[in-house]
Amino acid sequence: MDNFVLWTIFLYTALCFSIYQGQEIQEFPPTFLKVSKNLPLQRLLVEWDVSDSAHKFELEMVFDIQVSRTEEMNVVWTEYYNTTLSKLKKTLHWSWDSELPLECLSHSVRIRSMVNDERFSKLWSRWSQWETVLGLDTSDDNTPYIFPEDKVVEEGSNVTFCCIGGKDSRIEYLLFNYTDYYYPDSNTSQQNMVITMKKVLHAEVPGIPVFCKISGKENKKYSATLLFVGKPPYEPEDISCDTRDIKTLTCTWNPGKNTYLYGAHSTKYHLFERFSQKTFCYQETAHYLEPIHCSWAIDQQMIYNLTLTAQNPLGKRSANFVLDVAHRVHPYPPSDLSVEHMKATEVSLYWRMQPKYKAIKLLCQIENRHPSGQVELHNSSPVQSNSYPHLTLGGLQPFTYYTFRMRCGAASHFWKWSEWSKTLRVRTNEAAPSGKLDVWREVTPVLGGRNVTLFWKPLPDFRANGGDISFEITWEKLKKASELEHISISALQNSTTISIDNHSYKISVAARNNINSSLPSVMIISRATDNAAFMPGVRYNFRVYGSLANEDFFLGKKVGYTKELAPRLNPQGEIAEMTSHTVTVTWDSYPVNESQPGFIRGYHVYVKTMEEECSLKGSAKHALSDGSVLCKYTIENPEEKRYVVKHLMPETTYALAVKAYTGGGETPIDAYINVDTLHDSKIYLPVLLVIIPFVVITAVCFWKIKWVKDCCYPEIPNPNKSQVLSFNGLKLNSEAVLKLSDCIPDTVVLENTSEANTLQLRSHGTILESESKVINPSWVYFIQNEVGNLMCTQSAPEACTSFENLAYSSQTALGSSLYQNLWMSEKSEPQLSILLYQPQHYIEILSKDTVTSLREITEREGSLRYISQMEVPRSEAKLSDLPHFTEPIEHSSYKIQTVLGSELVTSTSDEGIQSQDSSTSSNSTALLLPGRH
């Protein structure tokens, strides 16, 4: 022991020395590498080790593992394996599952290591040598193979198949499930073939066949295998465990959904109990739709902790549950159900139960099914299972078949009912008929007496309660002692006739069976009288008597008819009120008493239209024998004697009739009340609403015609109302005065309409030249005074021309000096420059006429034509181009634009111009010409 301790200390010291002296020892390469394979699992198993020193220091190491295939060592997998070494020098293990069957190709493994410790530099060791496990691809065998063999995979997986043709053979194709052909790559060796199926699906039959077609020197060969595609097991469903006899415990469950794996690959179940560490059963799925059962004997153990495991090649699922046997009792159904002590209204049922050897308390339920199909359930009191219990059921009907069956369950810790027992059908005993018969009679007088015909039928509460039913009729006199007479009638009949004399009789009718008779139904036949026969349509008052203990007693009065007839009298309808759409009819005096041949049930009101068709709302159609159709209204209250017919048309003729009806009907219609509805004043209201405002507006317009004309459509605008005068200028005598600073005037020309005097206009002091030369035109020159008003330059004693239109000047502002401010002057063209106002505008008055008086000017006023300023042409235009009316316009209220003074205004003209008479000169036109601004 001491040597071991010293040796350990020595090694540790040497290791530390090497680390701190340049880290000469840094690698712990893998040693003893060994590779094997588990073919059923298609798994490579790898084992290796490292040096003892690495184990002693429990180093944390990383191993780089590579897996390769084929002779070229093509690496197909690389993985880093981390572990901490143990002082116990355990061998290291690693495994790898191959998708390609390991039989197909040789597989090689190599490993290198690195210490994952801060005391060491992190450098990989050198690789180990490749360690290889051989596949059949290196075999010299001539036998062909296909792998994997009978493999089980989960649905949706990828599966790789390989075909090995053997020595001196080649693979032609691979056939999958008889439908899919795959051929080897022409660029590779055709001795081996590898192919991968993607996302394979299950088949309805167990196993999918896969074939390899191989050809060689020998005969053609096939190599085949099966692929099983399915699903992992599902967790067991509806697990239930119970005992029926406290001797055996049985568990039942459903496998769940189909896994599509059958036979050796189907799901296996085993039930393990944890307390006893026992496995009670090992079951295999026969069909996924069939429940699975597992039973075992119960010893002394009553509490079980169970684990049910389902397992197949693709996985396993488990379910755990705990149960108490005493709480899971599911009894067997009762047996030997029988009836004892049967009576007419009750029976006693007896039965046997299990288990007998170990008594438990059971609660039983009896089902009683009536002939009508009604079901009653009755519970018994708890009874011991090893006894012979019974239950008495009452409230049954005599001579009736009943069907019984039973089931039982644990009285304590009820789990579930047992199955129903076998049914037992029994019939109760007979009893005397119960209830009474409903009887009535018909009495017919005959010579020396009467014949009484009796009728009967069972009342709702009547029950025969037995067989061999017959009817017993007995009768005897009431007031005089007589012998009781009796007859028996078969159950097939329900009437008979007996003969009696004119005395009073008591008659009894009863039903009888094998046991006894029912209570009799009794009626009294009074002695015969001379009563007259009943007549239809006559109201009778009846007094009803009953009989008890051979005595009559009064029950009440009844009023009725043997047969009702239609009313004899028709209601006399009168029109009480009428509108355009309704008519109210009344018949207040109509009687409803006993004078009628029947009870008045109500009234019918008929309405006939001229079209003889019924279209009134709320009415019913009533066809007459002649084919015409009336509207019918029904009044079901006989006390109601007033009705309002609605939804009529105004100013329309209708015919009305009122009829009473009884249980015997009503008489035909023989007379009508004709009525004409009133006109509807409401239809004129829209017309009045339109006409009255129109009339009012029209009257106002005629009353204020001048105001309307001036406001809406004046013939010529009134300059006094022009917006031009809205400026804040000088006002004299409440009238505005136009200032040149506020408004720039335009040119006004008074033109003679003679075609020979057509002129060409030019402004700004230029003489206007006409096509026929105009001599000595007259000009009016304006100047602006100190206050800004227009003034004439006076060069002659003639009167000036003034304008009443205040848009151009104001004669009110000029006052009494009107005729002193304007005059006519004859100036030559160079003198036009003396105009003092800007811009220079002029008013030219051209006329070949000599105006002789102001009266003549006034007379011309009606023929003057006003031409808009906006339509005056440019200064170079001719007067012939100006727009003017070819027809004289009518006289308007617009005032003359030109006013002459006290002296006549004269104008000179060329010698070639002939003076025209007044009729010609009256056709003058005032033109307002724009100047150049």
Side-chain angles (χ1 to χ4, degrees):
M1 180 65 179
D2 293 338
N3 292 334
F4 177 75
V5 174
L6 292 174
W7 179 248
T8 301
I9 294 173
F10 172 76
L11 290 177
Y12 180 77
T13 303
L15 178 60
C16 292
F17 178 79
S18 64
I19 293 173
Y20 291 104
Q21 294 297 322
Q23 297 181 348
E24 297 179 0
I25 302 177
Q26 297 180 1
E27 297 182 359
F28 299 95
T31 60
F32 306 113
L33 177 61
K34 181 181 178 182
V35 180
S36 60
K37 56 185 177 181
N38 184 338
L39 293 179
L41 298 179
Q42 291 295 310
R43 179 174 298 169
L44 280 180
L45 305 177
V46 182
E47 297 180 4
W48 73 97
D49 204 349
V50 293
S51 64
D52 294 341
S53 58
H55 282 283
K56 290 178 181 179
F57 292 104
E58 297 181 337
L59 296 178
E60 182 179 351
M61 299 192 69
V62 180
F63 295 94
D64 185 8
I65 306 173
Q66 290 185 345
V67 180
S68 66
R69 294 188 185 127
T70 71
E71 297 177 355
E72 291 78 12
M73 296 301 176
N74 182 24
V75 176
V76 296
W77 188 263
T78 297
E79 183 175 326
Y80 294 102
Y81 175 72
N82 294 274
T83 186
T84 300
L85 301 179
S86 172
K87 291 181 179 180
L88 300 178
K89 297 183 60 176
K90 291 183 177 180
T91 303
L92 301 175
H93 296 272
W94 178 81
S95 63
W96 176 72
D97 293 335
S98 176
E99 294 181 358
L100 176 69
L102 296 176
E103 298 92 341
C104 297
L105 295 174
S106 299
H107 289 73
S108 301
V109 178
R110 70 176 181 175
I111 305 176
R112 64 179 177 174
S113 64
M114 181 178 66
V115 179
N116 189 15
D117 195 307
E118 294 179 354
R119 297 172 296 176
F120 296 86
S121 58
K122 295 184 178 181
L123 299 176
W124 288 106
S125 71
R126 63 185 179 277
W127 285 101
S128 67
Q129 296 295 324
W130 288 101
E131 187 69 22
T132 304
V133 288
L134 299 177
L136 294 178
D137 58 323
T138 61
S139 174
D140 292 335
D141 191 0
N142 292 330
T143 304
Y145 297 96
I146 183 171
F147 298 101
E149 293 181 341
D150 300 337
K151 185 173 183 178
V152 181
V153 297
E154 186 174 355
E155 186 175 43
S157 302
N158 299 333
V159 184
T160 300
F161 292 93
C162 72
C163 289
I164 301 174
K167 188 177 181 180
D168 299 329
S169 299
R170 64 182 182 86
I171 299 171
E172 294 187 5
Y173 58 81
L174 182 145
L175 176 60
F176 183 81
N177 200 21
Y178 300 110
T179 57
D180 301 328
Y181 287 85
Y182 299 91
Y183 299 91
D185 190 349
S186 60
N187 297 326
T188 61
S189 171
Q190 297 184 0
Q191 187 175 355
N192 299 332
M193 179 180 178
V194 177
I195 189 167
T196 300
M197 305 296 178
K198 302 289 187 179
K199 297 181 179 180
V200 293
L201 301 177
H202 72 270
E204 296 299 330
V205 296
I208 299 174
V210 184
F211 297 93
C212 253
K213 175 67 180 305
I214 301 169
S215 62
K217 294 180 179 180
E218 300 180 2
N219 294 333
K220 295 182 178 180
K221 300 178 181 180
Y222 288 92
S223 180
T225 185
L226 289 176
L227 177 66
F228 298 93
V229 182
K231 296 181 180 180
Y234 293 92
E235 184 175 340
E237 300 175 350
D238 304 327
I239 303 174
S240 175
C241 298
D242 51 45
T243 180
R244 313 209 69 164
D245 54 6
I246 318 298
K247 295 171 61 177
T248 302
L249 187 63
T250 301
C251 290
T252 306
W253 63 89
N254 292 322
K257 298 180 181 178
N258 193 1
T259 62
Y260 303 103
L261 296 177
Y262 311 98
H265 306 299
S266 64
T267 303
K268 310 296 189 299
Y269 296 89
H270 65 272
L271 196 60
F272 178 74
E273 205 284 312
R274 292 182 179 273
F275 296 152
S276 62
Q277 293 293 304
K278 293 180 180 179
T279 299
F280 291 113
C281 56
Y282 190 84
Q283 299 286 352
E284 182 177 321
T285 304
H287 193 278
Y288 74 96
L289 293 178
E290 297 178 359
I292 301 175
H293 305 273
C294 177
S295 302
W296 66 94
I298 300 174
D299 296 328
Q300 300 299 321
Q301 184 178 352
M302 298 296 288
I303 306 296
Y304 289 85
N305 186 353
L306 299 170
T307 299
L308 178 61
T309 301
Q311 184 174 4
N312 67 14
L314 299 178
K316 65 180 180 179
R317 299 290 295 273
S318 298
N320 300 319
F321 54 98
V322 178
L323 62 89
D324 185 345
V325 175
H327 297 179
R328 299 296 181 96
V329 177
H330 181 204
Y332 286 110
S335 60
D336 301 332
L337 182 62
S338 61
V339 174
E340 297 183 13
H341 312 296
M342 182 183 297
K343 297 181 180 179
T345 58
E346 67 178 31
V347 294
S348 295
L349 297 176
Y350 288 79
W351 66 93
R352 299 183 185 277
M353 298 182 300
Q354 294 185 19
K356 295 182 179 180
Y357 82 99
K358 191 172 183 180
I360 58 174
K361 285 189 176 181
L362 297 179
L363 175 68
C364 295
Q365 189 178 72
I366 297 94
E367 180 189 83
N368 176 16
R369 185 175 297 273
H370 293 239
S372 62
Q374 178 186 354
V375 175
E376 295 179 353
L377 294 177
H378 305 272
N379 292 335
S380 69
S381 57
V383 294
Q384 293 293 332
S385 61
N386 57 357
S387 64
Y388 187 56
H390 71 279
L391 177 68
T392 300
L393 298 179
L396 306 180
Q397 294 292 339
F399 204 66
T400 303
Y401 281 99
Y402 293 93
T403 302
F404 301 99
R405 64 177 183 172
M406 299 184 64
R407 61 182 179 179
C408 298
S412 301
H413 309 296
F414 179 85
W415 169 241
K416 61 176 66 173
W417 290 109
S418 70
E419 295 82 2
W420 288 103
S421 67
K422 294 181 180 179
T423 58
L424 174 66
R425 188 169 184 265
V426 298
R427 189 181 68 181
T428 54
N429 294 336
E430 290 185 90
S434 58
K436 291 185 176 182
L437 299 174
D438 184 13
V439 298
W440 65 102
R441 85 289 185 277
E442 185 177 283
V443 180
T444 304
V446 294
L447 183 63
R450 292 165 293 174
N451 288 337
V452 180
T453 302
L454 301 173
F455 303 89
W456 60 87
K457 67 178 182 179
L459 288 170
D461 61 343
F462 176 82
R463 295 187 61 85
N465 295 336
D468 297 332
I469 293 294
S470 62
F471 299 100
E472 303 289 332
I473 294 92
T474 59
W475 63 96
E476 60 179 337
K477 294 180 180 179
L478 284 178
K479 302 297 183 181
K480 184 177 181 181
S482 63
E483 183 179 353
L484 183 67
E485 297 185 60
H486 169 270
I487 59 173
S488 179
I489 304 298
S490 168
L492 300 177
Q493 295 179 273
N494 65 345
S495 64
T496 189
T497 301
I498 61 174
S499 297
I500 59 175
D501 55 24
N502 292 327
H503 290 87
S504 298
Y505 277 83
K506 181 178 76 172
I507 302 175
S508 300
V509 181
R512 184 177 183 84
N513 61 14
N514 296 328
I515 303 300
N516 207 338
S517 298
S518 66
L519 294 176
S521 297
V522 180
M523 65 179 69
I524 303 298
I525 305 297
S526 301
R527 62 186 182 86
T529 61
D530 296 330
N531 290 337
F534 292 114
M535 298 180 61
V538 178
R539 183 178 297 186
Y540 294 96
N541 296 320
F542 297 93
R543 297 171 63 88
V544 181
Y545 293 86
S547 60
L548 183 64
N550 298 331
E551 295 292 335
D552 297 340
F553 60 93
F554 178 71
L555 294 177
K557 294 182 179 180
K558 295 290 182 180
V559 178
Y561 296 83
T562 58
K563 182 179 180 181
E564 291 187 64
L565 301 179
R568 295 190 182 94
L569 302 176
N570 291 322
Q572 299 297 317
E574 297 179 357
I575 304 301
E577 187 178 348
M578 181 170 53
T579 67
S580 59
H581 294 283
T582 62
V583 172
T584 302
V585 59
T586 61
W587 54 95
D588 295 334
S589 60
Y590 189 72
V592 294
N593 52 22
E594 63 275 2
S595 62
Q596 296 288 359
F599 295 109
I600 300 298
R601 310 295 175 88
Y603 306 94
H604 290 146
V605 177
Y606 296 95
V607 179
K608 181 180 181 181
T609 63
M610 295 299 99
E611 296 81 6
E612 296 187 353
E613 291 291 336
C614 178
S615 60
L616 297 181
K617 184 178 179 181
S619 64
K621 292 184 178 181
H622 179 75
L624 299 179
S625 58
D626 59 359
S628 59
V629 178
L630 306 182
C631 292
K632 177 182 177 181
Y633 301 89
T634 300
I635 305 168
E636 296 181 349
N637 183 7
E639 301 299 327
E640 183 67 35
K641 299 180 181 180
R642 177 186 181 91
Y643 189 75
V644 179
V645 182
K646 301 178 181 179
H647 308 293
L648 303 178
M649 298 296 294
E651 299 184 71
T652 306
T653 300
Y654 294 94
L656 281 74
V658 181
K659 304 292 288 185
Y661 66 90
T662 65
E666 65 182 29
T667 57
I669 302 173
D670 54 3
Y672 290 95
I673 305 173
N674 294 322
V675 60
D676 294 326
T677 55
L678 303 179
H679 70 278
D680 191 356
S681 59
K682 293 181 180 179
I683 63 175
Y684 299 108
L685 182 59
V687 178
L688 294 178
L689 292 177
V690 174
I691 294 177
I692 291 176
F694 177 77
V695 172
V696 172
I697 293 172
T698 304
V700 172
C701 290
F702 276 103
W703 180 34
K704 296 289 186 177
I705 184 61
K706 185 177 182 302
W707 174 80
V708 172
K709 184 175 182 181
D710 290 342
C711 292
C712 300
Y713 50 95
E715 294 183 3
I716 302 176
N718 190 344
N720 285 316
K721 299 178 182 179
S722 173
Q723 294 296 326
V724 176
L725 298 180
S726 63
F727 56 84
N728 296 324
L730 177 63
K731 288 185 179 286
L732 296 176
N733 299 330
S734 302
E735 293 204 18
V737 177
L738 175 66
K739 296 181 180 181
L740 290 179
S741 59
D742 299 322
C743 179
I744 299 175
D746 288 334
T747 303
V748 177
V749 177
L750 184 63
E751 179 201 2
N752 190 289
T753 58
S754 175
E755 296 180 0
N757 296 326
T758 304
L759 303 177
Q760 184 175 2
L761 301 179
R762 286 190 299 170
S763 60
H764 295 289
T766 304
I767 298 299
L768 304 178
E769 297 179 357
S770 63
E771 296 178 0
S772 61
K773 186 176 181 181
V774 179
I775 307 299
N776 297 326
S778 299
W779 300 94
V780 179
Y781 298 96
F782 289 88
I783 62 173
Q784 194 169 13
N785 61 11
E786 297 177 355
V787 297
N789 293 329
L790 290 176
M791 300 179 62
C792 293
T793 58
Q794 188 170 355
S795 61
E798 293 84 0
C800 292
T801 300
S802 174
F803 292 91
E804 192 179 64
N805 191 336
L806 296 180
Y808 310 118
S809 65
S810 175
Q811 64 187 102
T812 306
L814 296 174
S816 61
S817 60
L818 169 65
Y819 303 108
Q820 300 174 3
N821 293 333
L822 285 94
W823 72 92
M824 305 297 293
S825 66
E826 296 179 2
K827 302 290 185 180
S828 60
E829 181 178 358
Q831 295 174 336
L832 292 176
S833 61
I834 67 172
L835 294 176
L836 302 179
Y837 63 90
Q838 293 296 331
Q840 298 177 11
H841 286 72
Y842 61 86
I843 299 177
E844 182 181 34
I845 303 176
L846 301 175
S847 175
K848 297 181 64 175
D849 301 325
T850 300
V851 183
T852 58
S853 67
L854 183 62
R855 176 187 302 270
E856 188 173 357
I857 296 297
T858 307
E859 292 175 353
R860 295 180 186 178
E861 183 181 352
S863 61
L864 291 178
R865 291 178 293 173
Y866 180 78
I867 298 178
S868 171
Q869 300 179 41
M870 303 304 296
E871 297 181 357
V872 176
R874 298 183 302 273
S875 59
E876 297 297 328
K878 298 178 181 181
L879 288 177
S880 60
D881 298 330
L882 294 175
H884 62 277
F885 294 94
T886 58
E887 297 293 333
I889 63 174
E890 297 180 0
H891 175 76
S892 68
S893 60
Y894 188 80
K895 296 183 179 181
I896 188 169
Q897 301 294 313
T898 304
V899 180
L900 302 180
S902 58
E903 296 182 357
L904 295 176
V905 178
T906 61
S907 62
T908 60
S909 62
D910 195 0
E911 295 178 355
I913 304 299
Q914 300 292 331
S915 298
Q916 299 181 11
D917 56 17
S918 61
S919 62
T920 304
S921 61
S922 64
N923 293 325
S924 304
T925 302
L927 300 178
L928 197 61
L929 302 180
R932 296 180 182 174
H933 297 263

